[in-house]
Amino acid sequence: MNPDQTVQSGDLSLAVYTWGTPAPGKPNVVLVHGYPDAASVWEKTAQILSDRYHVIAYDVRGAGRSDVPDHTKAFELEHLVEDLAQVVDAMSPDQPVHLVCHDWGSIQSWEAVTTERMAGRIASYTSISGPSIDHAAYWIMNRLRSGSPQEMSTVARQLSHSWYIGAFQLPLFGPAIWKLGMDKLWPKLLSKVEGIEADANPTQTKDGSIGVNLYRANFVQRLLKPNERRTDLPVQVIVAKRDRFVLPEVLDDLPQWVPNLWQREIDAGHWVQISHPEQVAAMAGEFIDFVETGEETVALRRARRRGPRKPMTGKLVVVTGAGGGIGRETLLAFAEQGASVVAVDIDIEAAERSAELARLLDVEAWWRQVDVGAVEQMEALAAWVATELGAPDIVVNNAGIGLSGRVLDTSVADWDRLLKVNLWSVILGSKLFAQQMIDAGKQGHIVNVASAAAFSPSKALPAYATTKAAVHMLSDCLRAELADHRINVVSVCPGFINTGITTSSRFVGVSDEKQEQLRAKAKQLYSRRNLKPQAVAEAILDAVKKNKPEALVGAEAHAFRFLSRFVPSLSRRLARLDMI
């Protein structure tokens, strides 16, 4: 890739590349690369962005076709900021630019957006995999001062991920590894470790060996004596979830420095602009358009950081049967963890109330009235989510109804309704939303709420147990199918949970009077056990966080599964007993 022109910064000449045509009112976007790259690392992303913007990139000093300074101090951040300022002034003299930066490009651009040198010249900043050194230093100090073993463990993990920073301080280490063959191995290393195909860079030896000076000139002094760096600019941080060099936790304190902050995720490794150029371009473009027009999309509203990062910040969770019981508690559990939520229920008032309660936790929340047993309504729900909110990160197929009574007393209509709500809705919810996750390249979770009845045959609950056993098996099969897409499927099997299902369940084959008596007995039994819906919600949250394949809730759930596996004859004998 040959430069379109050069820009002078002091006594150095910087190679500049452009895509698209400049025009009045057309946003100018400047891309800044990291280490050990040159501007060519942005080529795929730049081509996509150039359909709508005038795109500019340059080789930072010492990299690509740009000149090489003759001493290490020339790589200090203030000189890198001056280079950026010269490029912006030359290429966009009449309007501020939107910065999109990666790795060291982000590190140096944090300096640019928090200093006076470029005041008024930057409209927005999108940072990928490169925190401010000063912010990182304060983050480390705050965690070490806390004395918390967990916090200190997180710091240790980040330092282990950043081992190369210390190694680069050694006089010969960095340049030597590049000159002894790392330049030739680099494309193969990216392919093996990152899973990406990158073209050989003709200036790779220079980029790697000279670029080490970026670390030598800045890291030690900034980590030991950090400055408070604040900016009121709109800042978007894109987190690569499989980044081998930067942990997401490093961004935990960012809102104290950046009040106008948005944080989003891509399920990718460190070099996202190579592996996922379409997603990077889409996120950058969406943010740029918001800054230019003031029209914030739903996806950006979900990504807005208003305070400390929570575990589920930026996630979208869809919960069926969210009007009460397990569904509502699960919805609120995820909302409390920072997720945006969609409450789905056939009861419109209950769904709306659940969404209202979630909003009290300072998250985005929506409600939808849906009969999950109706195929066309489930398809409409999925289409609405995809169009208005984007693919969800977590789907909890929780909606279900109860039915008690013997097989010979259960009508075809009863079977039809039970299968549609308890099984077909789970099949549809899993199928429709899993496809959205795959299409969006998301590492997601499908949570299917079965029951301890899935392990326990019973003459009192044959139809209900059949549907829940099918949900459990469906989950096991689907987990295997979706594993390659990094989508985990959780089968949740609660025991005797004290919810409204005890009073809404139907008892077939009995008179109305007898039915009310049986409902009263069931309610009494479940109330005496008093295992609350919150316990299931906590188990679901824990399973999602820890990527568990299943969650059993209640001692009876564990007991029923044990019997079904190891003493099936006893399980079959117990099935003959009347539970109520």
Side-chain angles (χ1 to χ4, degrees):
M1 190 169 79
N2 295 316
D4 297 301
Q5 65 183 81
T6 59
V7 169
Q8 203 68 20
S9 180
D11 57 356
L12 297 181
S13 180
L14 304 174
V16 178
Y17 310 81
T18 61
W19 294 263
T21 306
K26 188 177 188 179
N28 292 324
V29 180
V30 175
L31 311 177
V32 189
H33 69 83
Y35 173 88
D37 305 320
S40 57
V41 77
W42 286 111
E43 190 165 12
K44 292 180 181 178
T45 304
Q47 289 173 351
I48 298 170
L49 287 170
S50 66
D51 289 341
R52 298 165 58 199
Y53 313 104
H54 179 224
V55 183
I56 304 155
Y58 68 100
D59 294 324
V60 302
R61 56 175 56 202
R65 307 295 180 184
S66 291
D67 290 345
V68 180
D70 57 6
H71 58 283
T72 300
K73 286 183 67 66
F75 286 88
E76 289 179 348
L77 287 170
E78 62 183 86
H79 300 299
L80 301 175
V81 171
E82 185 60 32
D83 290 348
L84 175 61
Q86 293 297 333
V87 170
V88 170
D89 288 345
M91 304 301 296
S92 183
D94 301 323
Q95 65 185 80
V97 302
H98 298 271
L99 289 182
V100 181
C101 311
H102 176 255
D103 189 78
W104 248 102
S106 282
I107 292 174
Q108 70 181 63
S109 295
W110 276 112
E111 187 83 3
V113 301
T114 56
T115 57
E116 287 297 319
R117 175 64 182 90
M118 298 200 68
R121 302 297 291 124
I122 301 172
S124 75
Y125 174 39
T126 294
S127 169
I128 309 171
S129 296
S132 160
I133 303 177
D134 300 85
H135 293 166
Y138 278 110
W139 176 82
I140 292 171
M141 288 190 295
N142 289 339
R143 268 116 201 101
L144 294 178
R145 286 170 182 166
S146 73
S148 164
Q150 183 177 357
E151 296 280 25
M152 289 190 282
S153 173
T154 303
V155 171
R157 283 196 300 121
Q158 177 56 63
L159 293 177
S160 69
H161 282 256
S162 304
W163 62 270
Y164 55 92
I165 295 175
F168 285 168
Q169 306 305 315
L170 301 176
L172 300 176
F173 177 80
I177 61 172
W178 290 101
K179 293 175 181 178
L180 292 175
M182 178 63 79
D183 54 342
K184 304 295 190 300
L185 291 173
W186 189 245
K188 295 180 180 178
L189 191 63
L190 286 178
S191 177
K192 184 174 183 179
V193 177
E194 292 283 319
I196 58 177
E197 298 300 324
D199 296 332
N201 180 1
T203 62
Q204 190 65 72
T205 306
K206 169 191 176 186
D207 299 343
S209 58
I210 299 299
V212 169
N213 290 303
L214 294 166
Y215 296 87
R216 292 179 177 173
N218 297 289
F219 258 96
V220 173
Q221 62 177 355
R222 288 302 181 96
L223 287 175
L224 294 178
K225 293 183 179 180
N227 296 310
E228 293 190 357
R229 302 220 164 261
R230 306 177 188 276
T231 180
D232 290 325
L233 283 173
V235 175
Q236 174 180 228
V237 175
I238 298 177
V239 177
K241 292 177 64 175
R242 289 181 274 128
D243 197 322
R244 295 175 181 272
F245 307 103
V246 183
L247 297 180
E249 288 86 348
V250 176
L251 305 173
D252 282 357
D253 299 340
L254 204 49
Q256 77 178 85
W257 313 108
V258 185
N260 297 313
L261 177 66
W262 288 256
Q263 183 172 327
R264 307 173 80 175
E265 292 181 346
I266 295 180
D267 183 23
H270 185 74
W271 276 272
V272 291
Q273 71 273 61
I274 299 177
S275 64
H276 294 71
E278 295 87 359
Q279 284 184 260
V280 171
M283 288 183 177
E286 189 174 13
F287 192 62
I288 291 167
D289 291 347
F290 159 63
V291 173
E292 289 285 325
T293 67
E295 297 179 5
E296 188 175 24
T297 63
V298 172
L300 282 175
R301 289 208 309 271
R302 282 169 41 202
R304 184 71 185 261
R305 286 271 311 267
R306 296 179 175 84
R309 187 182 69 89
K310 294 182 178 180
M312 296 291 168
T313 295
K315 304 287 187 187
L316 176 65
V317 182
V318 178
V319 182
T320 66
I326 292 171
R328 174 175 286 177
E329 294 301 329
T330 300
L331 186 91
L332 297 179
F334 279 106
E336 195 168 16
Q337 295 285 303
S340 300
V341 294
V342 181
V344 179
D345 204 281
I346 194 170
D347 184 334
I348 186 171
E349 293 182 355
E352 189 172 6
R353 178 58 178 160
S354 293
E356 288 175 352
L357 291 171
R359 292 190 194 105
L360 295 177
L361 298 169
D362 196 26
V363 299
E364 294 279 342
W366 300 266
W367 58 270
R368 304 297 290 176
Q369 183 185 26
V370 176
D371 177 357
V372 296
V375 175
E376 65 280 3
Q377 292 193 38
M378 283 294 288
E379 290 176 340
L381 168 68
W384 177 82
V385 171
T387 302
E388 298 297 328
L389 309 179
D393 299 276
I394 301 159
V395 173
V396 183
N397 292 306
N398 164 74
I401 56 177
L403 185 71
S404 181
R406 305 188 182 196
V407 173
L408 300 182
D409 294 324
T410 305
S411 68
V412 172
D414 287 329
W415 273 104
D416 183 63
R417 182 58 183 163
L418 192 72
L419 286 167
K420 283 180 177 178
V421 175
N422 286 14
L423 179 57
W424 265 109
S425 73
V426 178
I427 294 172
L428 288 169
S430 299
K431 175 181 170 66
L432 294 168
F433 289 114
Q435 189 62 58
Q436 289 185 14
M437 294 175 187
I438 292 170
D439 293 343
K442 281 194 171 184
Q443 178 186 2
H445 298 267
I446 303 289
V447 180
N448 296 330
V449 179
S451 168
F455 310 124
S456 177
S458 167
K459 69 178 184 180
L461 296 168
Y464 180 80
T466 297
T467 60
K468 293 303 183 179
V471 168
H472 185 63
M473 179 56 73
L474 169 70
S475 301
D476 283 347
C477 296
L478 195 60
R479 187 180 306 113
E481 180 180 340
L482 298 178
D484 290 342
H485 297 288
R486 295 171 58 81
I487 297 173
N488 185 40
V489 180
V490 185
S491 178
V492 183
C493 298
F496 302 136
I497 309 300
N498 189 14
T499 70
I501 199 171
T502 58
T503 56
S504 62
S505 294
R506 290 185 58 241
F507 291 79
V508 298
V510 297
S511 65
D512 291 344
E513 182 180 357
K514 182 65 174 177
Q515 179 157 204
E516 291 306 317
Q517 291 175 359
L518 291 173
R519 282 177 174 172
K521 286 184 178 180
K523 183 177 181 180
Q524 186 179 30
L525 173 64
Y526 279 65
S527 297
R528 189 179 300 119
R529 174 67 176 91
N530 201 28
L531 187 57
K532 297 184 181 298
Q534 291 90 329
V536 184
E538 291 170 5
I540 290 173
L541 193 62
D542 181 67
V544 168
K545 286 182 177 180
K546 297 178 181 178
N547 275 322
K548 292 181 178 180
E550 63 181 20
L552 305 184
V553 187
E556 58 274 19
H558 291 273
F560 288 156
R561 186 172 69 167
F562 178 87
L563 291 176
S564 69
R565 286 187 174 183
F566 301 108
V567 198
S569 60
L570 178 57
S571 182
R572 288 191 288 269
R573 289 185 67 84
L574 292 173
R576 301 179 185 181
L577 301 177
D578 287 316
M579 296 179 60
I580 301 176

